[in-house]
Coordinates of all heavy atoms in Angstrom, one line a residue:
M30 N -0.6 -2.4 -9.9 CA 0.1 -2.4 -8.7 C 1.6 -2.2 -8.8 O 2.1 -2.7 -9.8 CB -0.1 -3.9 -8.0 CG 0.4 -4.1 -6.7 SD 0.1 -5.7 -6.0 CE -1.6 -5.6 -5.7
T31 N 2.1 -1.3 -8.0 CA 3.5 -1.0 -8.0 C 4.3 -2.1 -7.6 O 4.0 -3.1 -6.8 CB 3.8 0.4 -7.3 OG1 3.7 0.0 -6.0 CG2 2.9 1.4 -7.7
E32 N 5.7 -2.0 -7.9 CA 6.6 -3.0 -7.4 C 6.6 -3.0 -5.8 O 6.7 -4.0 -5.3 CB 8.0 -2.7 -7.9 CG 9.2 -3.4 -7.4 CD 9.5 -4.7 -8.0 OE1 8.9 -5.0 -9.0 OE2 10.4 -5.4 -7.4
S33 N 6.6 -1.7 -5.3 CA 6.6 -1.7 -3.8 C 5.4 -2.4 -3.2 O 5.4 -3.1 -2.3 CB 6.6 -0.1 -3.4 OG 6.6 -0.1 -2.1
E34 N 4.1 -2.1 -3.8 CA 2.9 -2.8 -3.2 C 3.1 -4.3 -3.4 O 2.6 -5.1 -2.5 CB 1.8 -2.3 -4.1 CG 1.4 -0.8 -3.8 CD 0.4 -0.2 -4.7 OE1 0.4 -0.7 -6.0 OE2 -0.2 0.7 -4.2
R35 N 3.6 -4.9 -4.5 CA 3.8 -6.2 -4.8 C 4.9 -6.9 -3.7 O 4.5 -7.8 -3.1 CB 4.3 -6.6 -6.2 CG 3.2 -6.5 -7.3 CD 3.6 -7.1 -8.5 NE 4.8 -6.6 -9.2 CZ 5.0 -5.5 -9.8 NH1 4.0 -4.6 -10.1 NH2 6.3 -5.0 -10.2
R36 N 5.7 -6.1 -3.5 CA 6.8 -6.6 -2.4 C 6.2 -6.6 -1.0 O 6.3 -7.6 -0.3 CB 8.1 -5.5 -2.3 CG 8.9 -5.7 -3.4 CD 10.2 -4.8 -3.3 NE 11.0 -4.9 -4.3 CZ 12.4 -4.6 -4.3 NH1 12.8 -3.9 -3.3 NH2 13.1 -4.8 -5.3
Q37 N 5.3 -5.6 -0.6 CA 4.8 -5.6 0.6 C 3.8 -6.7 0.7 O 3.7 -7.4 1.8 CB 4.0 -4.2 0.8 CG 4.9 -3.0 1.2 CD 4.2 -1.8 1.2 OE1 3.1 -1.7 1.0 NE2 5.0 -0.7 1.4
R38 N 3.0 -7.0 -0.2 CA 2.1 -8.1 -0.2 C 2.7 -9.5 -0.1 O 2.3 -10.3 0.7 CB 1.1 -8.0 -1.6 CG 0.0 -9.1 -1.4 CD -0.6 -9.2 -2.7 NE 0.2 -9.9 -3.7 CZ 0.4 -9.5 -5.0 NH1 -0.3 -8.6 -5.6 NH2 1.2 -10.2 -5.8
V39 N 3.8 -9.7 -0.8 CA 4.6 -10.9 -0.7 C 5.3 -11.0 0.7 O 5.3 -12.1 1.3 CB 5.5 -11.1 -1.9 CG1 6.5 -12.2 -1.6 CG2 4.8 -11.3 -3.2
L40 N 5.8 -10.0 1.2 CA 6.4 -9.9 2.5 C 5.4 -10.3 3.5 O 5.7 -11.2 4.4 CB 7.1 -8.7 2.8 CG 7.7 -8.5 4.2 CD1 8.7 -9.5 4.5 CD2 8.1 -7.1 4.4
A41 N 4.3 -9.8 3.5 CA 3.3 -9.9 4.5 C 2.7 -11.4 4.3 O 2.6 -12.1 5.4 CB 2.1 -9.1 4.3
R42 N 2.7 -11.9 3.2 CA 2.2 -13.4 3.0 C 3.3 -14.3 3.5 O 3.1 -15.4 4.1 CB 1.9 -13.7 1.5 CG 1.3 -14.9 1.3 CD 0.8 -15.0 -0.2 NE 0.4 -16.4 -0.4 CZ 0.3 -17.0 -1.6 NH1 0.5 -16.2 -2.6 NH2 -0.1 -18.1 -1.8
F43 N 4.6 -14.0 3.2 CA 5.7 -14.8 3.6 C 5.7 -15.0 5.1 O 6.1 -16.0 5.7 CB 7.0 -14.1 3.1 CG 8.3 -14.8 3.5 CD1 8.8 -15.9 2.9 CD2 9.0 -14.2 4.4 CE1 10.0 -16.5 3.2 CE2 10.2 -14.8 4.9 CZ 10.8 -16.1 4.2
I44 N 5.5 -13.9 5.8 CA 5.5 -13.9 7.2 C 4.2 -14.5 7.8 O 4.3 -15.4 8.7 CB 5.6 -12.5 7.8 CG1 7.0 -11.9 7.5 CG2 5.3 -12.4 9.3 CD1 7.2 -10.5 7.8
A45 N 3.1 -14.4 7.2 CA 1.8 -14.9 7.8 C 1.6 -16.3 7.4 O 0.8 -17.0 8.1 CB 0.7 -14.0 7.3
D46 N 2.2 -16.8 6.4 CA 1.7 -18.1 5.8 C 2.9 -19.0 5.6 O 3.7 -19.0 4.7 CB 1.1 -17.9 4.4 CG 0.6 -19.1 3.8 OD1 0.8 -20.3 4.2 OD2 -0.1 -19.0 2.6
P47 N 3.0 -20.0 6.7 CA 4.1 -21.0 6.6 C 4.2 -21.7 5.3 O 5.3 -22.1 4.8 CB 3.9 -21.8 7.8 CG 3.0 -21.0 8.7 CD 2.2 -20.2 7.8
V48 N 3.1 -22.1 4.7 CA 3.2 -22.8 3.5 C 3.8 -22.0 2.3 O 4.6 -22.4 1.5 CB 1.7 -23.3 3.0 CG1 1.8 -23.9 1.6 CG2 1.2 -24.3 4.1
F49 N 3.4 -20.7 2.1 CA 4.0 -19.7 1.2 C 5.5 -19.6 1.6 O 6.3 -19.5 0.7 CB 3.2 -18.5 1.2 CG 3.7 -17.6 0.1 CD1 3.4 -17.8 -1.2 CD2 4.4 -16.4 0.5 CE1 4.0 -16.9 -2.2 CE2 4.8 -15.5 -0.5 CZ 4.6 -15.8 -1.9
E50 N 5.8 -19.4 2.7 CA 7.2 -19.2 3.2 C 8.1 -20.4 2.7 O 9.2 -20.3 2.1 CB 7.3 -19.1 4.8 CG 8.8 -19.1 5.3 CD 8.9 -19.3 6.7 OE1 7.9 -19.6 7.4 OE2 10.1 -19.3 7.1
A51 N 7.5 -21.6 2.8 CA 8.3 -22.8 2.3 C 8.4 -22.9 0.8 O 9.5 -23.1 0.4 CB 7.6 -24.1 2.8
R52 N 7.4 -22.3 0.1 CA 7.5 -22.3 -1.3 C 8.6 -21.2 -1.7 O 9.3 -21.5 -2.8 CB 6.1 -21.9 -1.9 CG 5.1 -23.0 -1.9 CD 3.8 -22.6 -2.6 NE 4.2 -22.1 -4.1 CZ 3.5 -21.1 -4.6 NH1 2.7 -20.4 -4.0 NH2 3.9 -20.9 -5.8
V53 N 8.5 -20.1 -1.0 CA 9.6 -19.1 -1.3 C 10.9 -19.6 -1.2 O 11.8 -19.5 -2.0 CB 9.3 -17.8 -0.5 CG1 10.6 -16.9 -0.6 CG2 8.1 -17.1 -0.8
R54 N 11.2 -20.3 -0.1 CA 12.4 -20.9 0.3 C 12.9 -22.0 -0.7 O 14.1 -22.1 -1.1 CB 12.5 -21.4 1.6 CG 12.4 -20.3 2.7 CD 12.6 -20.8 4.2 NE 12.2 -19.9 5.3 CZ 13.0 -18.9 5.6 NH1 14.2 -18.7 5.0 NH2 12.7 -18.0 6.5
A55 N 11.9 -22.7 -1.2 CA 12.2 -23.9 -2.1 C 12.4 -23.4 -3.5 O 13.3 -24.1 -4.2 CB 11.0 -24.9 -2.1
D56 N 11.7 -22.5 -3.9 CA 11.8 -22.0 -5.3 C 11.7 -20.6 -5.6 O 10.6 -20.1 -6.1 CB 10.8 -22.9 -6.2 CG 11.2 -22.8 -7.6 OD1 12.0 -22.0 -8.1 OD2 10.3 -23.5 -8.4
P57 N 12.7 -19.7 -5.1 CA 12.5 -18.3 -5.3 C 12.3 -17.8 -6.7 O 11.5 -17.0 -6.9 CB 13.7 -17.7 -4.8 CG 14.5 -18.9 -4.1 CD 13.8 -20.1 -4.6
S58 N 12.8 -18.6 -7.6 CA 12.6 -18.1 -9.0 C 11.2 -18.2 -9.5 O 10.7 -17.5 -10.2 CB 13.4 -19.0 -9.9 OG 13.3 -18.7 -11.3
A59 N 10.5 -19.4 -9.2 CA 9.1 -19.5 -9.6 C 8.2 -18.5 -8.9 O 7.4 -17.9 -9.5 CB 8.5 -20.9 -9.1
I60 N 8.5 -18.0 -7.6 CA 7.8 -17.1 -6.8 C 8.0 -15.7 -7.4 O 7.0 -14.9 -7.7 CB 8.0 -17.1 -5.4 CG1 7.8 -18.4 -4.7 CG2 7.5 -15.9 -4.7 CD1 6.3 -18.8 -4.7
A61 N 9.3 -15.4 -7.8 CA 9.5 -14.1 -8.4 C 8.8 -14.0 -9.8 O 8.2 -12.9 -10.0 CB 11.0 -14.1 -8.8
Q62 N 8.6 -15.1 -10.5 CA 7.9 -15.0 -11.7 C 6.4 -14.9 -11.5 O 5.7 -14.0 -12.1 CB 8.2 -16.3 -12.6 CG 7.6 -16.2 -14.0 CD 8.0 -17.3 -14.9 OE1 8.6 -18.3 -14.3 NE2 7.8 -17.2 -16.2
E63 N 5.9 -15.7 -10.6 CA 4.4 -15.7 -10.2 C 4.0 -14.3 -9.8 O 2.9 -13.8 -10.1 CB 4.0 -16.7 -9.2 CG 4.1 -18.1 -9.6 CD 4.0 -19.1 -8.4 OE1 3.4 -18.6 -7.4 OE2 4.3 -20.3 -8.6
E64 N 4.8 -13.6 -9.0 CA 4.4 -12.3 -8.3 C 5.0 -11.2 -9.0 O 4.8 -10.0 -8.5 CB 5.0 -12.3 -6.9 CG 4.4 -13.5 -6.0 CD 2.9 -13.5 -5.8 OE1 2.3 -12.3 -5.9 OE2 2.3 -14.5 -5.5
S65 N 5.5 -11.3 -10.2 CA 6.2 -10.3 -11.0 C 7.1 -9.4 -10.1 O 7.0 -8.2 -10.1 CB 5.2 -9.4 -11.5 OG 4.3 -10.1 -12.4
L66 N 8.0 -10.2 -9.4 CA 9.1 -9.5 -8.6 C 10.5 -9.8 -9.0 O 10.6 -10.9 -9.8 CB 8.9 -9.9 -7.1 CG 7.7 -9.3 -6.4 CD1 7.5 -9.9 -5.0 CD2 7.7 -7.9 -6.2
S67 N 11.4 -9.0 -8.7 CA 12.9 -9.4 -9.0 C 13.3 -10.6 -8.4 O 12.8 -10.9 -7.1 CB 13.8 -8.3 -8.8 OG 13.9 -8.1 -7.4
L68 N 13.9 -11.4 -9.0 CA 14.6 -12.7 -8.3 C 15.4 -12.2 -7.1 O 15.5 -12.9 -6.2 CB 15.4 -13.5 -9.3 CG 16.0 -14.8 -8.9 CD1 14.9 -15.6 -8.2 CD2 16.7 -15.6 -10.0
E69 N 16.2 -11.1 -7.3 CA 17.1 -10.6 -6.2 C 16.2 -10.4 -4.9 O 16.6 -10.8 -3.9 CB 17.8 -9.3 -6.6 CG 18.6 -8.8 -5.6 CD 19.2 -7.3 -6.0 OE1 18.9 -6.8 -7.0 OE2 19.7 -6.7 -5.1
Y70 N 15.0 -9.7 -5.1 CA 14.3 -9.5 -3.9 C 13.8 -10.8 -3.3 O 13.8 -10.9 -2.0 CB 13.1 -8.5 -4.3 CG 12.1 -8.4 -3.1 CD1 12.5 -7.6 -2.1 CD2 10.9 -9.1 -3.0 CE1 11.6 -7.4 -0.9 CE2 10.1 -9.0 -2.0 CZ 10.5 -8.2 -0.9 OH 9.6 -8.0 0.2
V71 N 13.3 -11.7 -4.1 CA 12.7 -12.9 -3.5 C 13.8 -13.8 -2.9 O 13.6 -14.3 -1.8 CB 11.9 -13.6 -4.6 CG1 11.4 -15.0 -4.1 CG2 10.8 -12.9 -5.2
C72 N 15.1 -13.7 -3.5 CA 16.1 -14.5 -2.9 C 16.6 -13.8 -1.5 O 16.9 -14.7 -0.6 CB 17.4 -14.5 -3.9 SG 17.2 -15.6 -5.1
R73 N 16.5 -12.6 -1.5 CA 16.9 -12.0 -0.1 C 15.7 -12.2 0.9 O 16.0 -12.5 2.0 CB 16.8 -10.4 -0.2 CG 18.1 -9.9 -0.8 CD 18.4 -8.4 -0.6 NE 17.2 -7.6 -0.5 CZ 16.7 -6.8 -1.6 NH1 17.3 -6.7 -2.7 NH2 15.7 -6.0 -1.4
L74 N 14.5 -12.4 0.5 CA 13.4 -12.8 1.3 C 13.6 -14.2 1.8 O 13.5 -14.6 3.0 CB 12.1 -12.6 0.6 CG 10.8 -12.7 1.4 CD1 10.6 -11.8 2.5 CD2 9.6 -12.6 0.5
A75 N 14.0 -15.1 0.9 CA 14.2 -16.5 1.2 C 15.3 -16.6 2.2 O 15.4 -17.6 2.8 CB 14.4 -17.3 -0.1
A76 N 16.3 -15.7 2.1 CA 17.5 -15.8 2.9 C 17.1 -15.4 4.4 O 18.0 -15.5 5.3 CB 18.6 -15.1 2.4
T77 N 16.0 -14.8 4.6 CA 15.7 -14.5 6.0 C 15.6 -15.6 6.9 O 15.0 -16.6 6.5 CB 14.3 -13.7 6.0 OG1 14.2 -12.6 5.1 CG2 13.8 -13.3 7.4
S78 N 16.1 -15.5 8.1 CA 16.3 -16.7 8.8 C 14.9 -17.2 9.4 O 14.0 -16.2 9.6 CB 17.2 -16.5 10.2 OG 16.5 -15.6 11.2
A79 N 14.6 -18.5 9.4 CA 13.3 -18.9 9.9 C 13.2 -18.6 11.3 O 12.0 -18.3 11.8 CB 13.4 -20.5 9.8
R80 N 14.2 -18.5 12.1 CA 14.0 -18.0 13.5 C 13.5 -16.6 13.6 O 12.6 -16.4 14.4 CB 15.4 -18.1 14.0 CG 15.4 -18.0 15.6 CD 16.8 -18.4 16.1 NE 16.9 -18.1 17.5 CZ 18.0 -18.0 18.2 NH1 19.1 -18.2 17.6 NH2 17.9 -17.8 19.4
R81 N 14.0 -15.8 12.7 CA 13.5 -14.3 12.8 C 12.0 -14.3 12.3 O 11.3 -13.5 12.7 CB 14.4 -13.5 11.7 CG 14.0 -12.1 11.7 CD 15.0 -11.3 10.9 NE 14.7 -9.9 11.0 CZ 15.4 -9.0 10.2 NH1 16.3 -9.3 9.3 NH2 15.0 -7.7 10.4
V82 N 11.6 -15.0 11.3 CA 10.3 -15.1 10.9 C 9.4 -15.7 12.0 O 8.4 -15.1 12.3 CB 10.1 -16.0 9.6 CG1 8.7 -16.1 9.2 CG2 10.8 -15.4 8.5
E83 N 9.7 -16.6 12.7 CA 9.0 -17.2 13.8 C 8.9 -16.2 14.9 O 7.8 -16.0 15.5 CB 9.6 -18.5 14.3 CG 8.8 -19.2 15.3 CD 7.3 -19.5 14.9 OE1 7.0 -19.8 13.7 OE2 6.5 -19.5 15.9
A84 N 9.9 -15.4 15.2 CA 9.8 -14.5 16.3 C 8.8 -13.4 15.9 O 8.0 -12.9 16.7 CB 11.2 -13.9 16.4
F85 N 8.8 -13.0 14.7 CA 7.8 -12.0 14.2 C 6.5 -12.5 14.3 O 5.5 -11.9 14.8 CB 8.1 -11.5 12.8 CG 7.1 -10.4 12.3 CD1 7.5 -9.1 12.6 CD2 5.9 -10.8 11.7 CE1 6.5 -8.1 12.3 CE2 5.1 -9.8 11.4 CZ 5.4 -8.5 11.6
R86 N 6.3 -13.7 13.9 CA 4.9 -14.4 14.0 C 4.5 -14.4 15.5 O 3.3 -14.2 15.9 CB 4.8 -15.8 13.5 CG 5.0 -15.9 11.9 CD 4.9 -17.3 11.5 NE 5.0 -17.4 10.0 CZ 5.7 -18.2 9.4 NH1 6.3 -19.2 9.9 NH2 5.8 -18.1 8.1
R87 N 5.3 -14.8 16.5 CA 4.9 -14.9 17.8 C 4.6 -13.5 18.4 O 3.6 -13.3 19.1 CB 6.0 -15.5 18.6 CG 6.2 -17.0 18.7 CD 7.1 -17.5 19.8 NE 8.4 -16.8 19.8 CZ 9.6 -17.2 19.1 NH1 9.4 -18.2 18.3 NH2 10.6 -16.5 19.2
S88 N 5.4 -12.4 17.9 CA 5.1 -11.1 18.3 C 3.7 -10.6 17.7 O 3.0 -10.0 18.5 CB 6.2 -10.2 17.9 OG 5.9 -8.9 18.0
Q89 N 3.6 -11.0 16.5 CA 2.2 -10.6 15.9 C 1.1 -11.3 16.7 O 0.0 -10.6 16.9 CB 2.2 -10.9 14.4 CG 1.0 -10.4 13.7 CD 1.0 -8.7 13.8 OE1 2.1 -8.2 13.6 NE2 0.0 -8.2 14.0
A90 N 1.1 -12.6 17.0 CA 0.1 -13.3 17.7 C -0.1 -12.6 19.1 O -1.3 -12.5 19.5 CB 0.5 -14.7 17.8
H91 N 0.9 -12.2 19.8 CA 0.8 -11.5 21.0 C 0.0 -10.2 20.9 O -0.9 -9.9 21.7 CB 2.1 -11.3 21.7 CG 2.1 -10.6 23.0 ND1 1.8 -11.2 24.1 CD2 2.4 -9.3 23.2 CE1 1.8 -10.2 25.1 NE2 2.2 -9.0 24.5
K92 N 0.5 -9.4 19.9 CA -0.2 -8.1 19.7 C -1.8 -8.4 19.3 O -2.6 -7.6 19.8 CB 0.4 -7.4 18.5 CG 1.8 -6.9 19.0 CD 2.5 -6.2 17.8 CE 3.9 -5.9 18.1 NZ 4.6 -5.4 16.8
D93 N -1.9 -9.4 18.5 CA -3.4 -9.6 18.1 C -4.3 -10.0 19.3 O -5.3 -9.7 19.5 CB -3.5 -10.8 17.0 CG -3.0 -10.4 15.7 OD1 -2.7 -9.1 15.4 OD2 -2.6 -11.2 14.9
A94 N -3.7 -10.9 20.2 CA -4.4 -11.3 21.5 C -4.7 -10.1 22.3 O -5.7 -9.9 23.0 CB -3.5 -12.4 22.2
A95 N -3.6 -9.2 22.4 CA -3.8 -7.9 23.4 C -4.9 -7.1 22.7 O -5.7 -6.6 23.4 CB -2.4 -7.2 23.3
R96 N -5.0 -7.0 21.4 CA -6.0 -6.2 20.8 C -7.3 -6.7 21.0 O -8.3 -6.0 21.2 CB -5.8 -6.0 19.3 CG -4.6 -5.0 19.0 CD -4.5 -4.8 17.4 NE -3.2 -4.2 17.2 CZ -2.1 -4.9 16.6 NH1 -2.4 -6.1 16.3 NH2 -1.0 -4.2 16.4
A97 N -7.4 -8.1 21.2 CA -8.7 -8.7 21.4 C -9.1 -8.9 22.8 O -10.1 -9.3 23.2 CB -8.6 -10.2 20.7
G98 N -8.2 -8.2 23.6 CA -8.6 -8.1 25.0 C -8.1 -9.4 26.0 O -8.5 -9.5 27.1
A99 N -7.2 -10.1 25.3 CA -6.7 -11.2 26.1 C -5.7 -10.8 27.1 O -4.9 -9.9 26.9 CB -5.9 -12.3 25.1
P100 N -5.7 -11.4 28.3 CA -4.7 -10.9 29.4 C -3.3 -11.3 29.0 O -3.1 -12.3 28.2 CB -5.2 -11.8 30.6 CG -5.8 -12.9 30.1 CD -6.5 -12.4 28.9
P101 N -2.3 -10.5 29.3 CA -1.0 -10.7 28.9 C -0.4 -11.9 29.5 O -0.7 -12.2 30.6 CB -0.2 -9.5 29.3 CG -1.0 -8.8 30.3 CD -2.5 -9.3 30.1
K102 N 0.4 -12.7 28.8 CA 1.0 -14.0 29.4 C 2.0 -13.5 30.4 O 2.9 -12.5 30.2 CB 1.7 -14.8 28.2 CG 0.7 -15.3 27.2 CD 1.4 -16.2 26.3 CE 0.5 -16.9 25.4 NZ 1.0 -17.8 24.4
Q103 N 2.3 -14.4 31.4 CA 3.3 -14.1 32.3 C 4.7 -14.6 31.8 O 4.7 -15.7 31.2 CB 3.0 -14.8 33.8 CG 1.8 -14.2 34.3 CD 1.7 -12.8 34.6 OE1 2.8 -12.2 35.1 NE2 0.7 -11.9 34.4
S104 N 5.7 -13.8 31.9 CA 6.9 -14.2 31.3 C 7.6 -15.2 32.1 O 8.6 -16.0 31.6 CB 8.0 -13.0 31.2 OG 8.3 -12.5 32.5
G105 N 7.4 -15.4 33.4 CA 8.0 -16.5 34.2 C 9.3 -16.0 34.7 O 10.3 -16.8 35.2
W106 N 9.6 -14.7 34.6 CA 10.9 -14.2 35.3 C 10.9 -14.2 36.6 O 10.5 -13.9 37.5 CB 11.2 -12.8 34.6 CG 11.6 -12.7 33.2 CD1 11.2 -13.6 32.3 CD2 12.4 -11.9 32.6 NE1 11.7 -13.3 31.1 CE2 12.4 -12.2 31.2 CE3 13.0 -10.8 33.0 CZ2 13.1 -11.4 30.3 CZ3 13.7 -10.0 32.1 CH2 13.7 -10.3 30.7

C-alpha cells in the first residue's frame, strides 16, 4: 500500500469513527507508528477542528439518507 493510500484510509477512518478520531487526537505519535505514516501528517490530521469533522459527518449522513431515498429535512428557514 502506498503512502497516499494509507493517508486516505486513515483520513476516512478519522472522519467516520469518533473513537479513532479521539485516539488520533490523544496520541498522534502512536497512530503514525501503527499506520506507517509520517508524524507530521497525523499531527495535521489531529489539528483538524472537531467542528469541521462533525460538519462533514452531518453532510455525509444527509447524503447517505438521500441516496437511500429518505425525504430531505426541512431547514426551517
